[in-house]
Amino acid sequence: MNTIQKSNIVADPAISNQSSSVTAGTGIGKQGKIVAAKEKTGLKRNLQSRHLMMISLGGTIGTGLFLASGNAIHIAGPGGALLAYGLVGIMVFFLMTSLAEMATHMPVSGSFSTYATKFVDPALGFALGWNYWFSWAVTIAAELSAVSLVMKFWYPHVNSLVWSVACLAILFLLNVLSVKSFGESEYWFAIIKVVAVIIFVITGILMIAGILGGEAIGVKNFTIQDAPFNGGFLTVFGIFMAAGFSFQGTELLGVAAGESQNPRKTIPSAVKSVFWRILLFYILTILVIGLIIPYTNPNLAATDDVTISPFTLVFQKAGFAFATSVMNAIILTSILSAGNSGMYAAARMLWNLAKEKKAPKFLGKINKRGVPMNALIITSLVGCLAFLSSLFGDGVVYVWLLNASGLTGFIAWAGIAISHYRFRKAYHAQGKDLDDLVYKAKWYPFGPLFALILCIVIILGQNYTAFSGDSIDWHGLLVSYISLPIFLGCWLGYKWKCKTKIVPLKECDLEYKKLS
């Protein structure tokens, strides 16, 4: 989430109701192709392959890349940053393949919340769903704050509240029209970011070779002082955890599967191409920055100043006029994209929770355009209230809300890994043929287990420095890990209230209820 610095399941009829609602308005032909139907109930499957591609890709290219990547190089050196981002990229690959296997078999907007409910424990699904919704709702508030900072670059004397209100109105309008308007807007937001990265990489390569911007730079910046690695294992470990935040948003592919025209075809295609593109963009971008700008350059440490972002520095060095204004416009696009995705994901997750009777019933209603209006309105209001809290009391409440959402993305990733492991075990336990799966994740069970372990390492090691001093930094621990007890409280509280148990493998609901 990129911001400037992001009842027994077998017997419960609510689950079958949810499945029906997900597929209401769709029909499945003999060849398994899902096509839009005439009914005006249920979510509309209007997201095309290109939409899914850019939703997943665009969700990971944001301010984490445009601004914070320089700080990663500054701290760990270019080699350390490449290693950290490469490891996170591998983890994301396994998570994406795990999600794709489940999403092609059971394409629902509840995604990993529904999968955890069906394959692990309804209480885990409840906790994952509500924590994910909360995280995105707070992210919307973060984007409302960020857009005002960006706009002050051009209009320093205009009240910040004007830009925040305008941003909220735009995001709400894009989501309220239809899922197709969301998909189209996200597609073009992502296109702008992708083109910017491609131009940056090409420009950087020309500069390194000496074709543009003066003499050839070569690899000399990889050999200065302690480069390519700086600070040893602990600094790489710290960047590894920070890099995870930059990649968050890829799981949106699973949420969007419930409204894809043909998820059995488009999701595998998106997974296969998106991973390599993400890895290509991140690895090549960091390599170019590390080669052109010495990691000792103090400007790389800035994570919220567009005038000295690594992209701006490289473009200025190449002699591009208006580099700062262009990058500011691209960062504005990233903010709108993150807010747009956040509103979509949060509304769909809240709608799904209502259909599973884990949220108030009125949130499960859908209008004739296939938009969960009540869930969208509540999500917008919560995001707005969270933003307003940043304007009062020195923003203390707002800071705590942001901290509370900090680890939620990694918790969601861990939930995906656990759900996939259990899904495949249940599939085998019930005597089903793996060849019947539309998409099979490679490297099972290594993939989900490897991803789960790394997610746990990131979650637990989020603030390892709190233990490195003469005394434990209790305030730092509370700030860093507050989202963990909140998640556990949701999980255990629901488990205690509803007396849920881990679903036996042979009783896991693997069937996707389809309407003909």
PDB file of all heavy atoms in Angstrom, residues 42-48 51-52 55 109 173-186 255-256 258-261 340 344 348 367 369-372:
ATOM      1  N   GLY A  42     -25.977  -8.663  -8.191  1.00  0.00           N
ATOM      2  CA  GLY A  42     -24.650  -9.229  -8.068  1.00  0.00           C
ATOM      3  C   GLY A  42     -23.596  -8.357  -8.736  1.00  0.00           C
ATOM      4  O   GLY A  42     -23.887  -7.434  -9.476  1.00  0.00           O
ATOM      5  N   LEU A  43     -22.324  -8.648  -8.414  1.00  0.00           N
ATOM      6  CA  LEU A  43     -21.218  -7.929  -9.030  1.00  0.00           C
ATOM      7  C   LEU A  43     -21.174  -8.216 -10.517  1.00  0.00           C
ATOM      8  O   LEU A  43     -21.529  -9.294 -10.965  1.00  0.00           O
ATOM      9  CB  LEU A  43     -19.898  -8.355  -8.370  1.00  0.00           C
ATOM     10  CG  LEU A  43     -19.764  -8.095  -6.867  1.00  0.00           C
ATOM     11  CD1 LEU A  43     -18.422  -8.580  -6.377  1.00  0.00           C
ATOM     12  CD2 LEU A  43     -19.953  -6.621  -6.546  1.00  0.00           C
ATOM     13  N   LYS A  44     -20.707  -7.239 -11.283  1.00  0.00           N
ATOM     14  CA  LYS A  44     -20.635  -7.381 -12.737  1.00  0.00           C
ATOM     15  C   LYS A  44     -19.219  -7.778 -13.146  1.00  0.00           C
ATOM     16  O   LYS A  44     -18.248  -7.139 -12.741  1.00  0.00           O
ATOM     17  CB  LYS A  44     -21.004  -6.064 -13.425  1.00  0.00           C
ATOM     18  CG  LYS A  44     -22.370  -5.514 -13.013  1.00  0.00           C
ATOM     19  CD  LYS A  44     -23.500  -6.460 -13.369  1.00  0.00           C
ATOM     20  CE  LYS A  44     -24.848  -5.852 -12.996  1.00  0.00           C
ATOM     21  NZ  LYS A  44     -25.967  -6.774 -13.249  1.00  0.00           N
ATOM     22  N   ARG A  45     -19.134  -8.799 -13.980  1.00  0.00           N
ATOM     23  CA  ARG A  45     -17.818  -9.264 -14.437  1.00  0.00           C
ATOM     24  C   ARG A  45     -17.405  -8.459 -15.668  1.00  0.00           C
ATOM     25  O   ARG A  45     -17.485  -8.945 -16.792  1.00  0.00           O
ATOM     26  CB  ARG A  45     -17.866 -10.762 -14.733  1.00  0.00           C
ATOM     27  CG  ARG A  45     -18.072 -11.613 -13.484  1.00  0.00           C
ATOM     28  CD  ARG A  45     -17.867 -13.089 -13.785  1.00  0.00           C
ATOM     29  NE  ARG A  45     -18.033 -13.893 -12.578  1.00  0.00           N
ATOM     30  CZ  ARG A  45     -17.063 -14.149 -11.715  1.00  0.00           C
ATOM     31  NH1 ARG A  45     -15.856 -13.666 -11.916  1.00  0.00           N
ATOM     32  NH2 ARG A  45     -17.284 -14.898 -10.650  1.00  0.00           N
ATOM     33  N   ASN A  46     -16.945  -7.239 -15.427  1.00  0.00           N
ATOM     34  CA  ASN A  46     -16.605  -6.329 -16.518  1.00  0.00           C
ATOM     35  C   ASN A  46     -15.122  -5.973 -16.578  1.00  0.00           C
ATOM     36  O   ASN A  46     -14.726  -5.110 -17.363  1.00  0.00           O
ATOM     37  CB  ASN A  46     -17.424  -5.030 -16.408  1.00  0.00           C
ATOM     38  CG  ASN A  46     -18.890  -5.262 -16.739  1.00  0.00           C
ATOM     39  OD1 ASN A  46     -19.218  -6.124 -17.547  1.00  0.00           O
ATOM     40  ND2 ASN A  46     -19.770  -4.500 -16.106  1.00  0.00           N
ATOM     41  N   LEU A  47     -14.300  -6.608 -15.735  1.00  0.00           N
ATOM     42  CA  LEU A  47     -12.869  -6.341 -15.785  1.00  0.00           C
ATOM     43  C   LEU A  47     -12.212  -7.237 -16.824  1.00  0.00           C
ATOM     44  O   LEU A  47     -12.318  -8.453 -16.759  1.00  0.00           O
ATOM     45  CB  LEU A  47     -12.225  -6.574 -14.411  1.00  0.00           C
ATOM     46  CG  LEU A  47     -12.601  -5.573 -13.312  1.00  0.00           C
ATOM     47  CD1 LEU A  47     -11.933  -5.950 -12.004  1.00  0.00           C
ATOM     48  CD2 LEU A  47     -12.222  -4.151 -13.716  1.00  0.00           C
ATOM     49  N   GLN A  48     -11.529  -6.614 -17.778  1.00  0.00           N
ATOM     50  CA  GLN A  48     -10.870  -7.356 -18.837  1.00  0.00           C
ATOM     51  C   GLN A  48      -9.445  -7.734 -18.427  1.00  0.00           C
ATOM     52  O   GLN A  48      -8.932  -7.297 -17.399  1.00  0.00           O
ATOM     53  CB  GLN A  48     -10.851  -6.517 -20.116  1.00  0.00           C
ATOM     54  CG  GLN A  48     -12.236  -6.114 -20.607  1.00  0.00           C
ATOM     55  CD  GLN A  48     -12.187  -5.121 -21.745  1.00  0.00           C
ATOM     56  OE1 GLN A  48     -11.133  -4.878 -22.335  1.00  0.00           O
ATOM     57  NE2 GLN A  48     -13.330  -4.519 -22.050  1.00  0.00           N
ATOM     58  N   HIS A  51      -7.161  -4.875 -17.764  1.00  0.00           N
ATOM     59  CA  HIS A  51      -7.448  -4.228 -16.492  1.00  0.00           C
ATOM     60  C   HIS A  51      -6.749  -4.961 -15.348  1.00  0.00           C
ATOM     61  O   HIS A  51      -6.090  -4.339 -14.508  1.00  0.00           O
ATOM     62  CB  HIS A  51      -8.961  -4.193 -16.227  1.00  0.00           C
ATOM     63  CG  HIS A  51      -9.720  -3.349 -17.189  1.00  0.00           C
ATOM     64  ND1 HIS A  51     -10.986  -3.676 -17.620  1.00  0.00           N
ATOM     65  CD2 HIS A  51      -9.414  -2.193 -17.815  1.00  0.00           C
ATOM     66  CE1 HIS A  51     -11.422  -2.751 -18.455  1.00  0.00           C
ATOM     67  NE2 HIS A  51     -10.475  -1.850 -18.595  1.00  0.00           N
ATOM     68  N   LEU A  52      -6.912  -6.285 -15.311  1.00  0.00           N
ATOM     69  CA  LEU A  52      -6.296  -7.070 -14.252  1.00  0.00           C
ATOM     70  C   LEU A  52      -4.783  -6.930 -14.272  1.00  0.00           C
ATOM     71  O   LEU A  52      -4.133  -6.854 -13.230  1.00  0.00           O
ATOM     72  CB  LEU A  52      -6.676  -8.557 -14.395  1.00  0.00           C
ATOM     73  CG  LEU A  52      -8.089  -8.955 -13.993  1.00  0.00           C
ATOM     74  CD1 LEU A  52      -8.238 -10.463 -14.051  1.00  0.00           C
ATOM     75  CD2 LEU A  52      -8.422  -8.469 -12.600  1.00  0.00           C
ATOM     76  N   ILE A  55      -3.981  -3.482 -12.883  1.00  0.00           N
ATOM     77  CA  ILE A  55      -4.367  -3.356 -11.480  1.00  0.00           C
ATOM     78  C   ILE A  55      -3.285  -3.952 -10.590  1.00  0.00           C
ATOM     79  O   ILE A  55      -2.868  -3.375  -9.587  1.00  0.00           O
ATOM     80  CB  ILE A  55      -5.723  -4.043 -11.218  1.00  0.00           C
ATOM     81  CG1 ILE A  55      -6.862  -3.193 -11.795  1.00  0.00           C
ATOM     82  CG2 ILE A  55      -5.949  -4.252  -9.719  1.00  0.00           C
ATOM     83  CD1 ILE A  55      -8.206  -3.898 -11.803  1.00  0.00           C
ATOM     84  N   SER A 109     -14.812 -12.056  -4.856  1.00  0.00           N
ATOM     85  CA  SER A 109     -14.261 -10.770  -4.439  1.00  0.00           C
ATOM     86  C   SER A 109     -13.749 -10.793  -3.005  1.00  0.00           C
ATOM     87  O   SER A 109     -12.967  -9.927  -2.613  1.00  0.00           O
ATOM     88  CB  SER A 109     -15.320  -9.666  -4.593  1.00  0.00           C
ATOM     89  OG  SER A 109     -15.499  -9.351  -5.958  1.00  0.00           O
ATOM     90  N   LEU A 173     -16.190   9.030  -7.278  1.00  0.00           N
ATOM     91  CA  LEU A 173     -16.871   9.032  -8.572  1.00  0.00           C
ATOM     92  C   LEU A 173     -16.378   7.878  -9.452  1.00  0.00           C
ATOM     93  O   LEU A 173     -17.177   7.206 -10.104  1.00  0.00           O
ATOM     94  CB  LEU A 173     -16.645  10.363  -9.277  1.00  0.00           C
ATOM     95  CG  LEU A 173     -17.345  10.548 -10.640  1.00  0.00           C
ATOM     96  CD1 LEU A 173     -18.858  10.492 -10.449  1.00  0.00           C
ATOM     97  CD2 LEU A 173     -16.934  11.864 -11.277  1.00  0.00           C
ATOM     98  N   LEU A 174     -15.073   7.649  -9.484  1.00  0.00           N
ATOM     99  CA  LEU A 174     -14.513   6.574 -10.305  1.00  0.00           C
ATOM    100  C   LEU A 174     -15.042   5.208  -9.873  1.00  0.00           C
ATOM    101  O   LEU A 174     -15.209   4.309 -10.698  1.00  0.00           O
ATOM    102  CB  LEU A 174     -12.984   6.587 -10.226  1.00  0.00           C
ATOM    103  CG  LEU A 174     -12.285   7.752 -10.919  1.00  0.00           C
ATOM    104  CD1 LEU A 174     -10.780   7.708 -10.641  1.00  0.00           C
ATOM    105  CD2 LEU A 174     -12.541   7.721 -12.422  1.00  0.00           C
ATOM    106  N   ASN A 175     -15.290   5.044  -8.573  1.00  0.00           N
ATOM    107  CA  ASN A 175     -15.751   3.760  -8.067  1.00  0.00           C
ATOM    108  C   ASN A 175     -17.269   3.623  -8.099  1.00  0.00           C
ATOM    109  O   ASN A 175     -17.782   2.501  -8.161  1.00  0.00           O
ATOM    110  CB  ASN A 175     -15.250   3.544  -6.632  1.00  0.00           C
ATOM    111  CG  ASN A 175     -13.826   3.053  -6.584  1.00  0.00           C
ATOM    112  OD1 ASN A 175     -13.558   1.860  -6.557  1.00  0.00           O
ATOM    113  ND2 ASN A 175     -12.882   3.980  -6.570  1.00  0.00           N
ATOM    114  N   VAL A 176     -17.994   4.737  -8.057  1.00  0.00           N
ATOM    115  CA  VAL A 176     -19.446   4.655  -7.971  1.00  0.00           C
ATOM    116  C   VAL A 176     -20.092   4.434  -9.333  1.00  0.00           C
ATOM    117  O   VAL A 176     -21.217   3.921  -9.422  1.00  0.00           O
ATOM    118  CB  VAL A 176     -20.013   5.937  -7.314  1.00  0.00           C
ATOM    119  CG1 VAL A 176     -20.100   7.076  -8.314  1.00  0.00           C
ATOM    120  CG2 VAL A 176     -21.377   5.666  -6.684  1.00  0.00           C
ATOM    121  N   LEU A 177     -19.403   4.796 -10.404  1.00  0.00           N
ATOM    122  CA  LEU A 177     -19.988   4.643 -11.731  1.00  0.00           C
ATOM    123  C   LEU A 177     -20.177   3.177 -12.099  1.00  0.00           C
ATOM    124  O   LEU A 177     -21.271   2.746 -12.430  1.00  0.00           O
ATOM    125  CB  LEU A 177     -19.105   5.344 -12.770  1.00  0.00           C
ATOM    126  CG  LEU A 177     -19.057   6.871 -12.675  1.00  0.00           C
ATOM    127  CD1 LEU A 177     -18.081   7.436 -13.701  1.00  0.00           C
ATOM    128  CD2 LEU A 177     -20.448   7.456 -12.880  1.00  0.00           C
ATOM    129  N   SER A 178     -19.107   2.417 -12.059  1.00  0.00           N
ATOM    130  CA  SER A 178     -19.159   0.985 -12.351  1.00  0.00           C
ATOM    131  C   SER A 178     -17.787   0.406 -12.129  1.00  0.00           C
ATOM    132  O   SER A 178     -16.795   1.141 -12.007  1.00  0.00           O
ATOM    133  CB  SER A 178     -19.600   0.733 -13.807  1.00  0.00           C
ATOM    134  OG  SER A 178     -18.591   1.167 -14.704  1.00  0.00           O
ATOM    135  N   VAL A 179     -17.709  -0.923 -12.084  1.00  0.00           N
ATOM    136  CA  VAL A 179     -16.398  -1.557 -11.932  1.00  0.00           C
ATOM    137  C   VAL A 179     -15.541  -1.300 -13.160  1.00  0.00           C
ATOM    138  O   VAL A 179     -14.307  -1.243 -13.086  1.00  0.00           O
ATOM    139  CB  VAL A 179     -16.553  -3.076 -11.678  1.00  0.00           C
ATOM    140  CG1 VAL A 179     -17.092  -3.793 -12.917  1.00  0.00           C
ATOM    141  CG2 VAL A 179     -15.204  -3.688 -11.290  1.00  0.00           C
ATOM    142  N   LYS A 180     -16.185  -1.107 -14.314  1.00  0.00           N
ATOM    143  CA  LYS A 180     -15.424  -0.839 -15.530  1.00  0.00           C
ATOM    144  C   LYS A 180     -14.749   0.527 -15.470  1.00  0.00           C
ATOM    145  O   LYS A 180     -13.619   0.696 -15.945  1.00  0.00           O
ATOM    146  CB  LYS A 180     -16.332  -0.918 -16.756  1.00  0.00           C
ATOM    147  CG  LYS A 180     -15.563  -0.904 -18.070  1.00  0.00           C
ATOM    148  CD  LYS A 180     -16.467  -1.207 -19.263  1.00  0.00           C
ATOM    149  CE  LYS A 180     -15.653  -1.271 -20.549  1.00  0.00           C
ATOM    150  NZ  LYS A 180     -16.487  -1.594 -21.723  1.00  0.00           N
ATOM    151  N   SER A 181     -15.421   1.515 -14.871  1.00  0.00           N
ATOM    152  CA  SER A 181     -14.797   2.836 -14.741  1.00  0.00           C
ATOM    153  C   SER A 181     -13.593   2.760 -13.818  1.00  0.00           C
ATOM    154  O   SER A 181     -12.574   3.428 -14.064  1.00  0.00           O
ATOM    155  CB  SER A 181     -15.806   3.856 -14.217  1.00  0.00           C
ATOM    156  OG  SER A 181     -16.189   3.568 -12.892  1.00  0.00           O
ATOM    157  N   PHE A 182     -13.710   1.943 -12.774  1.00  0.00           N
ATOM    158  CA  PHE A 182     -12.552   1.736 -11.904  1.00  0.00           C
ATOM    159  C   PHE A 182     -11.419   1.083 -12.679  1.00  0.00           C
ATOM    160  O   PHE A 182     -10.264   1.514 -12.609  1.00  0.00           O
ATOM    161  CB  PHE A 182     -12.920   0.848 -10.708  1.00  0.00           C
ATOM    162  CG  PHE A 182     -11.735   0.183 -10.073  1.00  0.00           C
ATOM    163  CD1 PHE A 182     -10.867   0.897  -9.261  1.00  0.00           C
ATOM    164  CD2 PHE A 182     -11.459  -1.163 -10.311  1.00  0.00           C
ATOM    165  CE1 PHE A 182      -9.748   0.283  -8.697  1.00  0.00           C
ATOM    166  CE2 PHE A 182     -10.358  -1.779  -9.755  1.00  0.00           C
ATOM    167  CZ  PHE A 182      -9.500  -1.052  -8.942  1.00  0.00           C
ATOM    168  N   GLY A 183     -11.746   0.019 -13.425  1.00  0.00           N
ATOM    169  CA  GLY A 183     -10.737  -0.696 -14.185  1.00  0.00           C
ATOM    170  C   GLY A 183     -10.048   0.186 -15.212  1.00  0.00           C
ATOM    171  O   GLY A 183      -8.820   0.141 -15.360  1.00  0.00           O
ATOM    172  N   GLU A 184     -10.825   1.003 -15.924  1.00  0.00           N
ATOM    173  CA  GLU A 184     -10.254   1.884 -16.937  1.00  0.00           C
ATOM    174  C   GLU A 184      -9.348   2.941 -16.317  1.00  0.00           C
ATOM    175  O   GLU A 184      -8.254   3.223 -16.822  1.00  0.00           O
ATOM    176  CB  GLU A 184     -11.369   2.574 -17.738  1.00  0.00           C
ATOM    177  CG  GLU A 184     -12.019   1.711 -18.794  1.00  0.00           C
ATOM    178  CD  GLU A 184     -11.037   1.315 -19.906  1.00  0.00           C
ATOM    179  OE1 GLU A 184     -10.153   2.122 -20.259  1.00  0.00           O
ATOM    180  OE2 GLU A 184     -11.163   0.184 -20.405  1.00  0.00           O
ATOM    181  N   SER A 185      -9.815   3.554 -15.232  1.00  0.00           N
ATOM    182  CA  SER A 185      -9.001   4.586 -14.576  1.00  0.00           C
ATOM    183  C   SER A 185      -7.704   3.993 -14.042  1.00  0.00           C
ATOM    184  O   SER A 185      -6.627   4.584 -14.200  1.00  0.00           O
ATOM    185  CB  SER A 185      -9.783   5.253 -13.440  1.00  0.00           C
ATOM    186  OG  SER A 185     -10.173   4.300 -12.459  1.00  0.00           O
ATOM    187  N   GLU A 186      -7.804   2.812 -13.450  1.00  0.00           N
ATOM    188  CA  GLU A 186      -6.598   2.177 -12.912  1.00  0.00           C
ATOM    189  C   GLU A 186      -5.644   1.767 -14.029  1.00  0.00           C
ATOM    190  O   GLU A 186      -4.422   1.814 -13.878  1.00  0.00           O
ATOM    191  CB  GLU A 186      -6.987   0.963 -12.060  1.00  0.00           C
ATOM    192  CG  GLU A 186      -5.916   0.500 -11.098  1.00  0.00           C
ATOM    193  CD  GLU A 186      -5.474   1.571 -10.132  1.00  0.00           C
ATOM    194  OE1 GLU A 186      -6.270   2.483  -9.822  1.00  0.00           O
ATOM    195  OE2 GLU A 186      -4.305   1.522  -9.711  1.00  0.00           O
ATOM    196  N   VAL A 255      -8.673  -9.945  -5.285  1.00  0.00           N
ATOM    197  CA  VAL A 255      -9.931  -9.249  -5.000  1.00  0.00           C
ATOM    198  C   VAL A 255     -10.680  -8.966  -6.298  1.00  0.00           C
ATOM    199  O   VAL A 255     -11.901  -9.114  -6.380  1.00  0.00           O
ATOM    200  CB  VAL A 255      -9.655  -7.936  -4.235  1.00  0.00           C
ATOM    201  CG1 VAL A 255     -10.957  -7.196  -3.962  1.00  0.00           C
ATOM    202  CG2 VAL A 255      -8.937  -8.225  -2.918  1.00  0.00           C
ATOM    203  N   ALA A 256      -9.928  -8.561  -7.331  1.00  0.00           N
ATOM    204  CA  ALA A 256     -10.547  -8.214  -8.614  1.00  0.00           C
ATOM    205  C   ALA A 256     -11.013  -9.440  -9.394  1.00  0.00           C
ATOM    206  O   ALA A 256     -11.792  -9.306 -10.342  1.00  0.00           O
ATOM    207  CB  ALA A 256      -9.563  -7.420  -9.467  1.00  0.00           C
ATOM    208  N   GLY A 258     -13.133 -11.613  -8.685  1.00  0.00           N
ATOM    209  CA  GLY A 258     -14.575 -11.791  -8.608  1.00  0.00           C
ATOM    210  C   GLY A 258     -15.338 -10.984  -9.634  1.00  0.00           C
ATOM    211  O   GLY A 258     -16.537 -11.205  -9.840  1.00  0.00           O
ATOM    212  N   GLU A 259     -14.675 -10.017 -10.274  1.00  0.00           N
ATOM    213  CA  GLU A 259     -15.343  -9.194 -11.287  1.00  0.00           C
ATOM    214  C   GLU A 259     -14.611  -9.252 -12.633  1.00  0.00           C
ATOM    215  O   GLU A 259     -14.778  -8.375 -13.472  1.00  0.00           O
ATOM    216  CB  GLU A 259     -15.455  -7.752 -10.783  1.00  0.00           C
ATOM    217  CG  GLU A 259     -16.419  -7.635  -9.612  1.00  0.00           C
ATOM    218  CD  GLU A 259     -16.408  -6.257  -8.973  1.00  0.00           C
ATOM    219  OE1 GLU A 259     -15.587  -6.038  -8.074  1.00  0.00           O
ATOM    220  OE2 GLU A 259     -17.233  -5.409  -9.358  1.00  0.00           O
ATOM    221  N   SER A 260     -13.825 -10.284 -12.806  1.00  0.00           N
ATOM    222  CA  SER A 260     -13.122 -10.489 -14.073  1.00  0.00           C
ATOM    223  C   SER A 260     -14.032 -11.215 -15.050  1.00  0.00           C
ATOM    224  O   SER A 260     -14.800 -12.102 -14.675  1.00  0.00           O
ATOM    225  CB  SER A 260     -11.847 -11.306 -13.845  1.00  0.00           C
ATOM    226  OG  SER A 260     -11.285 -11.733 -15.062  1.00  0.00           O
ATOM    227  N   GLN A 261     -13.953 -10.854 -16.321  1.00  0.00           N
ATOM    228  CA  GLN A 261     -14.806 -11.480 -17.330  1.00  0.00           C
ATOM    229  C   GLN A 261     -14.526 -12.971 -17.459  1.00  0.00           C
ATOM    230  O   GLN A 261     -15.427 -13.774 -17.610  1.00  0.00           O
ATOM    231  CB  GLN A 261     -14.587 -10.789 -18.688  1.00  0.00           C
ATOM    232  CG  GLN A 261     -15.221  -9.414 -18.783  1.00  0.00           C
ATOM    233  CD  GLN A 261     -15.045  -8.790 -20.155  1.00  0.00           C
ATOM    234  OE1 GLN A 261     -14.281  -9.282 -20.979  1.00  0.00           O
ATOM    235  NE2 GLN A 261     -15.750  -7.704 -20.407  1.00  0.00           N
ATOM    236  N   ASN A 340      -7.506   4.992  -5.389  1.00  0.00           N
ATOM    237  CA  ASN A 340      -8.519   4.349  -6.216  1.00  0.00           C
ATOM    238  C   ASN A 340      -8.584   2.844  -5.919  1.00  0.00           C
ATOM    239  O   ASN A 340      -9.659   2.272  -5.714  1.00  0.00           O
ATOM    240  CB  ASN A 340      -8.182   4.586  -7.694  1.00  0.00           C
ATOM    241  CG  ASN A 340      -9.321   4.256  -8.630  1.00  0.00           C
ATOM    242  OD1 ASN A 340     -10.486   4.439  -8.302  1.00  0.00           O
ATOM    243  ND2 ASN A 340      -8.995   3.772  -9.812  1.00  0.00           N
ATOM    244  N   TYR A 344     -11.652   0.665  -3.948  1.00  0.00           N
ATOM    245  CA  TYR A 344     -12.232  -0.523  -4.593  1.00  0.00           C
ATOM    246  C   TYR A 344     -12.069  -1.759  -3.710  1.00  0.00           C
ATOM    247  O   TYR A 344     -13.041  -2.475  -3.437  1.00  0.00           O
ATOM    248  CB  TYR A 344     -11.550  -0.765  -5.941  1.00  0.00           C
ATOM    249  CG  TYR A 344     -11.902  -2.095  -6.575  1.00  0.00           C
ATOM    250  CD1 TYR A 344     -13.076  -2.245  -7.296  1.00  0.00           C
ATOM    251  CD2 TYR A 344     -11.068  -3.194  -6.424  1.00  0.00           C
ATOM    252  CE1 TYR A 344     -13.412  -3.472  -7.858  1.00  0.00           C
ATOM    253  CE2 TYR A 344     -11.388  -4.421  -6.986  1.00  0.00           C
ATOM    254  CZ  TYR A 344     -12.551  -4.554  -7.706  1.00  0.00           C
ATOM    255  OH  TYR A 344     -12.878  -5.779  -8.251  1.00  0.00           O
ATOM    256  N   ARG A 348     -15.144  -3.847  -1.711  1.00  0.00           N
ATOM    257  CA  ARG A 348     -15.435  -5.242  -2.064  1.00  0.00           C
ATOM    258  C   ARG A 348     -15.244  -6.170  -0.869  1.00  0.00           C
ATOM    259  O   ARG A 348     -16.007  -7.107  -0.665  1.00  0.00           O
ATOM    260  CB  ARG A 348     -14.548  -5.701  -3.221  1.00  0.00           C
ATOM    261  CG  ARG A 348     -15.176  -5.560  -4.596  1.00  0.00           C
ATOM    262  CD  ARG A 348     -15.640  -4.163  -4.852  1.00  0.00           C
ATOM    263  NE  ARG A 348     -16.257  -3.988  -6.164  1.00  0.00           N
ATOM    264  CZ  ARG A 348     -16.658  -2.827  -6.625  1.00  0.00           C
ATOM    265  NH1 ARG A 348     -16.525  -1.732  -5.888  1.00  0.00           N
ATOM    266  NH2 ARG A 348     -17.225  -2.731  -7.818  1.00  0.00           N
ATOM    267  N   ASN A 367     -26.169  -2.080  -6.152  1.00  0.00           N
ATOM    268  CA  ASN A 367     -27.100  -1.362  -7.032  1.00  0.00           C
ATOM    269  C   ASN A 367     -27.142  -1.997  -8.419  1.00  0.00           C
ATOM    270  O   ASN A 367     -26.456  -2.984  -8.679  1.00  0.00           O
ATOM    271  CB  ASN A 367     -26.747   0.138  -7.109  1.00  0.00           C
ATOM    272  CG  ASN A 367     -25.398   0.391  -7.782  1.00  0.00           C
ATOM    273  OD1 ASN A 367     -24.823  -0.483  -8.427  1.00  0.00           O
ATOM    274  ND2 ASN A 367     -24.895   1.601  -7.620  1.00  0.00           N
ATOM    275  N   ARG A 369     -25.895  -1.169 -11.130  1.00  0.00           N
ATOM    276  CA  ARG A 369     -24.637  -1.128 -11.884  1.00  0.00           C
ATOM    277  C   ARG A 369     -23.611  -2.117 -11.343  1.00  0.00           C
ATOM    278  O   ARG A 369     -22.485  -2.164 -11.807  1.00  0.00           O
ATOM    279  CB  ARG A 369     -24.055   0.287 -11.841  1.00  0.00           C
ATOM    280  CG  ARG A 369     -24.910   1.326 -12.545  1.00  0.00           C
ATOM    281  CD  ARG A 369     -24.187   2.671 -12.621  1.00  0.00           C
ATOM    282  NE  ARG A 369     -23.818   3.165 -11.309  1.00  0.00           N
ATOM    283  CZ  ARG A 369     -24.633   3.854 -10.509  1.00  0.00           C
ATOM    284  NH1 ARG A 369     -25.874   4.097 -10.896  1.00  0.00           N
ATOM    285  NH2 ARG A 369     -24.219   4.290  -9.347  1.00  0.00           N
ATOM    286  N   GLY A 370     -24.021  -2.900 -10.328  1.00  0.00           N
ATOM    287  CA  GLY A 370     -23.113  -3.892  -9.768  1.00  0.00           C
ATOM    288  C   GLY A 370     -22.123  -3.314  -8.777  1.00  0.00           C
ATOM    289  O   GLY A 370     -21.082  -3.918  -8.503  1.00  0.00           O
ATOM    290  N   VAL A 371     -22.434  -2.139  -8.202  1.00  0.00           N
ATOM    291  CA  VAL A 371     -21.540  -1.485  -7.250  1.00  0.00           C
ATOM    292  C   VAL A 371     -22.102  -1.640  -5.833  1.00  0.00           C
ATOM    293  O   VAL A 371     -23.271  -1.313  -5.599  1.00  0.00           O
ATOM    294  CB  VAL A 371     -21.388   0.013  -7.578  1.00  0.00           C
ATOM    295  CG1 VAL A 371     -20.521   0.710  -6.531  1.00  0.00           C
ATOM    296  CG2 VAL A 371     -20.793   0.189  -8.968  1.00  0.00           C
ATOM    297  N   PRO A 372     -21.312  -2.132  -4.876  1.00  0.00           N
ATOM    298  CA  PRO A 372     -21.775  -2.233  -3.479  1.00  0.00           C
ATOM    299  C   PRO A 372     -21.791  -0.843  -2.833  1.00  0.00           C
ATOM    300  O   PRO A 372     -20.852  -0.468  -2.127  1.00  0.00           O
ATOM    301  CB  PRO A 372     -20.744  -3.165  -2.829  1.00  0.00           C
ATOM    302  CG  PRO A 372     -19.505  -2.977  -3.635  1.00  0.00           C
ATOM    303  CD  PRO A 372     -19.953  -2.684  -5.037  1.00  0.00           C
TER     304      PRO A 372
END
